[in-house]
Structures are given as structure tokens and as C-alpha cells.
Amino acid sequence: MCVPRRRPETLDPVTVPLHDSALLKAARGEKVPHTPVWFMRQAGRSLPEYLKVREGIAMLDSCMNAELITEITLQPVRRYGVDAAIFFSDIVLPLKAVGVDLDIVPGVGPVVASPVRTLADVEAIADLTPEQVPYITRAVRDLVGELASVNGGTPLIGFAGAPFTVASYLVEGGPSKEHAKTKALMFGAPDVWDALMRKVADVSAVFLETQVAAGASAVQLFDSWAGALTPADYVRFVQPHSARVLERVGALGVPRIHFGVGTTNLLDLMGEAGADVVGVDWRTPLDRAIPLVGDRSVQGNLDPTLVFAPTEVMTERAAAVIEAGRAARGHIFNLGHGVIPSTDPDQLARLTEFVQSYPLD
């Protein structure tokens, strides 16, 4: 029987270079000691310690406090012993940093006071510079120092929203299921759309570059709403801008994960945008996704609701995901979307141990 990795608090400090961590090896398509695992939204509402430190603090305020960012990012690493930390932030945080009037309304999501409609609206959005987000640089540096001795060195994944998703919030003024206003602008005013996408691509690129410069070992570009697009529209209106972000970050030499929700028909195109690892949501079996992404690693993709099933059912399905992942250049285990807030943390701990203990030979 394979022995699970020890929890971080029982580990003796060791000095294994991050370059040799399971996550970065899988991202590069190299042989791994075990299937690396982390969870989207692992730092968040499913953890009682998160709820405690966030009590009375608004979401965006917590994302602009280096001490809170550091503590929240570390919480799931301490609890689960996952193979990566994901930087705690929010998709719209860079917009807030450049002066866009927005807030995250509980129960609603990001709400923008003055949605973008014209070129003048786009031009009013300032460019992002690292000096505007000193709390990001400080938090990343603090995290890298803390993570260096956890499990022999745990990588930090930087995080940013992809241009289409960020632009959709700016145009819609908030969350939308149909993205009607976004598509109306995209189809009806392509010059405004292109200017907006260039603007938000540059903002996302700087946000990721700042994290990498401070020590992040990989990045994830998260496109929540790209699944609303046809392949042709994605290629024409979105892919060049996501590629712009991924190219700039790729120049820094870190692996790039690109994930979208409901993107079965876009997986090949999202990979071609410049991803080293293509995230796959739970709707698409890995054996279908892997041929689409080509010579790239994959990330995913257990249905997040399976953590509510009996443990033996959850682990049986997790084993099937791991087995399917063998056909890829490399495989990083994750859920097929974020951790659901009502998830039992103990069940995620069992899942982590199962994945890390699963025999690959």
C-alpha cells in the first residue's frame, strides 16, 4: 500500500528545489513521484479558519491586505498538504487597483458602477503598474518564504482573470448568464471591443508579471465565461488577447495554466492561445479532452459535487480521472471547477491523500 504524504506540520525542513516539485514536473510533462493535486478555490469559504479571519472584512479589502492574503493562501496548504498554493485574490481586483468604481456585493458578485460602452469609457481605465499593487508583491514574497519549507517546497500559482471574463464584468456591470450586452458590444462595436480587450489584457498581464517577479512558480489564467462563445467568435474576438497575456507571462519562464468553464468546444483553441496546461471542467471527460489539447498537460477534473458522495464513491471516480490522465503529456489533479462553499474540509483531505497515494507504476 502506498503511504500518503505527511501533513505539513509533521515534516522536517528539506531543500528540494521547486523546479523538481510534482506540480511543475507535471506541467512540463516530466515523470512525477505522484499525481500532483490542488483545488481551485481551495482557499475560501469551505474552511472555518477562512471564515474566522474574514469576519467583518469585505472581500476586496481582504485582497488588498498582504497579511490576510498570505494567511488565507496558506490555510489549505497547512490543512491538506496539497501540491500547490493558489494566490488568494479576485478576478476584478486589478480593476479596483486602477481606479474602476466597483465592489463585490455579497450574494451578487462584482458590480461595476459605470459599465463600459464607448472608446472614451475604455480610455478612462488606467493602465496597471506594479507600484499600484504593493500588497501583491509583499504577499507573494512572504508566501514564497513560508512555502519553501512545506512538503519540501510548495509552488505558488499566480492568478488572474482572462480578458473576456474581465471585460464582460466591465460591460455587463455585473454577473450575467446571457452576456447579451457583452456580445452586443463585441459584434456591434468591434473597435470598442478590441480597445477594451487590449486594455484588460495588459492589466491581466501586469498583474501576473508582478506575481511572477515576486516569486510565483506558475500562473493560472481563469476564463469563467468563455464557454458562452462559439469557436469562431473565440478565435476572432478573444483568443488573440488571451494569447497576449500568456505570451508575456511565458517570457518569464513559468508554466501557464489556462482554464475556462463550459469550454468543451474551445479546449484546442485555449491551448493554442499559449497554455502549457489546459484546465478541463467536469463536463468533459479527460479521455475526450486530451486528444483536443495535443502535446500539452491537462488539469482536472473531478466533479466538485462528488466530494458530497460517500468516500468510496468519490475515490473511485478520482481513480478514474487519474487513470484517464495517464494519456496526457502530464496531469495535475483538480476539481472540474472551484470548491463548493459547503464542502466538508475533511473530505477534501481524504481526496488529497488518495490522489497523492495513488500508484503510478
Side-chain angles (χ1 to χ4, degrees):
M1 177 182 294
C2 294
V3 180
R5 298 170 86 207
R6 292 175 289 163
R7 303 269 62 80
E9 59 270 21
T10 67
L11 283 167
D12 299 321
V14 290
T15 55
V16 177
L18 285 180
H19 182 82
D20 292 329
S21 69
L23 181 124
L24 296 182
K25 280 178 172 283
R28 297 191 300 263
E30 300 171 5
K31 184 177 176 62
V32 294
H34 63 271
T35 301
V37 52
W38 70 280
F39 305 111
M40 288 181 283
R41 294 181 184 165
Q42 65 188 18
R45 292 171 291 174
S46 64
L47 296 180
E49 55 265 43
Y50 169 84
L51 297 175
K52 183 177 180 179
V53 299
R54 274 284 320 281
E55 190 174 359
I57 303 174
M59 177 62 180
L60 287 176
D61 289 340
S62 68
C63 293
M64 295 186 286
N65 181 307
E67 289 82 4
L68 265 180
I69 295 169
T70 301
E71 169 60 22
I72 292 169
T73 301
L74 288 172
Q75 286 175 349
V77 180
R78 296 190 195 111
R79 181 182 277 267
Y80 303 131
V82 284
D83 290 282
I86 180 68
F87 188 72
F88 176 73
S89 189
D90 190 88
I91 283 174
V92 299
L93 186 278
L95 299 178
K96 183 74 170 181
V98 299
V100 174
D101 186 0
L102 61 82
D103 196 10
I104 296 179
V105 178
V108 177
V111 175
V112 177
S114 300
V116 170
R117 296 287 181 268
T118 66
L119 278 174
D121 294 336
V122 175
E123 292 166 356
I125 301 172
D127 295 327
L128 180 67
T129 66
E131 291 73 24
Q132 292 169 299
V133 286
Y135 44 86
I136 300 297
T137 297
R138 179 182 169 190
V140 171
R141 288 176 176 168
D142 289 348
L143 282 164
V144 170
E146 293 280 351
L147 292 166
S149 61
V150 178
N151 278 339
T154 299
L156 174 66
I157 302 173
F159 168 86
F164 178 78
T165 292
V166 176
S168 73
Y169 281 116
L170 285 168
V171 176
E172 300 286 342
S176 171
K177 293 182 179 180
E178 296 82 13
H179 307 286
K181 295 175 183 176
T182 301
K183 292 184 179 182
L185 184 71
M186 188 170 70
F187 299 139
D191 56 333
V192 178
W193 176 257
D194 184 68
L196 176 61
M197 289 290 278
R198 288 176 180 274
K199 174 70 70 172
V200 296
D202 285 343
V203 168
S204 291
V206 171
F207 194 58
L208 289 176
E209 288 169 340
T210 300
Q211 294 171 64
V212 174
S217 298
V219 299
Q220 173 159 289
L221 190 66
F222 193 99
D223 215 344
S224 306
W225 310 125
L229 299 164
T230 67
D233 290 335
Y234 180 83
V235 169
R236 179 178 176 186
F237 296 107
V238 175
Q239 189 186 47
H241 305 286
S242 293
R244 179 183 178 90
V245 179
L246 293 168
E247 180 180 13
R248 284 178 55 171
V249 180
L252 303 177
V254 298
R256 301 155 295 178
I257 305 167
H258 196 14
F259 175 78
V261 181
T263 52
T264 301
N265 62 334
L266 304 177
L267 290 175
D268 55 337
L269 301 173
M270 293 180 71
E272 291 168 8
D276 302 294
V277 182
V278 177
V280 184
D281 83 356
W282 79 94
R283 297 170 179 85
T284 308
L286 286 187
D287 58 2
R288 293 187 186 179
I290 290 168
L292 294 174
V293 306
D295 188 28
R296 296 180 176 87
S297 298
V298 294
Q299 178 177 277
N301 73 335
L302 188 72
D303 186 332
T305 64
L306 276 165
V307 300
F308 297 93
T311 300
E312 62 272 18
V313 174
M314 175 186 71
T315 54
E316 179 182 359
R317 295 287 291 272
V321 170
I322 297 170
E323 288 294 332
R326 290 176 180 269
R329 185 191 72 163
H331 176 217
I332 298 167
F333 189 95
N334 208 311
L335 301 179
H337 198 191
V339 174
I340 297 169
S342 55
T343 296
D344 177 4
D346 291 341
Q347 190 73 326
L348 275 188
R350 297 181 192 104
L351 178 58
T352 303
E353 291 191 4
F354 176 82
V355 174
Q356 293 174 337
S357 303
Y358 192 89
L360 297 181
D361 296 323

